[in-house]
Amino acid sequence: QVQLVESGGGLVQAGGSLRLSCVVSGSIFSINVMGWYRQAPGKQRESVATITSGGYTNYIDSVKGRFTISRDNAKKTVYLQMNSLKPEDTAVYYCNARLRVSPETDYGSWGQGTQVTVSS
């Protein structure tokens, strides 16, 4: 069974940093796009950053210059380095990956989420 396992969330003061990690466990053929999403209380889930298998990245405007997404294909892991955190970054952060489990089959998969809380 393939799972996405996240780690690295926590409580941090404004201006601080956190690094999120997400590992894909289980047997897969390949991983296409990976990304981080977040959902704050009372708000819709939004895409924060994505990265393709070739390393092309995309960010929402509110995190540009502060967050950096990266991936290690050999370790089947995606990271999100978050610097200069703000209280408005507080949310549950979810990892997402497009997994190819066979030459004919791929699907999107989500992690369980990790809480990030930024105090003012």
Side-chain angles (χ1 to χ4, degrees), residues 46-107:
E46 63 177 355
S47 173
V48 175
T50 58
I51 184 168
T52 67
S53 57
Y56 179 80
T57 59
N58 193 44
Y59 300 90
I60 56 170
D61 287 345
S62 60
V63 307
K64 286 180 180 178
R66 300 189 298 122
F67 291 10
T68 301
I69 189 170
S70 61
R71 63 191 281 173
D72 185 327
N73 292 327
K75 295 182 178 179
K76 297 185 294 182
T77 301
V78 63
Y79 306 96
L80 186 67
Q81 178 67 44
M82 304 185 293
N83 299 328
S84 303
L85 282 161
K86 303 176 181 180
E88 51 264 43
D89 294 318
T90 296
V92 178
Y93 283 70
Y94 297 90
C95 172
N96 178 272
R98 192 75 188 177
L99 307 175
R100 182 164 295 281
V101 296
S102 75
E104 301 82 22
T105 305
D106 71 338
Y107 63 89

Side-chain angles (χ1 to χ4, degrees), residues 105-120:
T105 305
D106 71 338
Y107 63 89
S109 184
W110 292 93
Q112 79 284 359
T114 185
Q115 177 70 46
V116 171
T117 302
V118 184
S119 63
S120 58

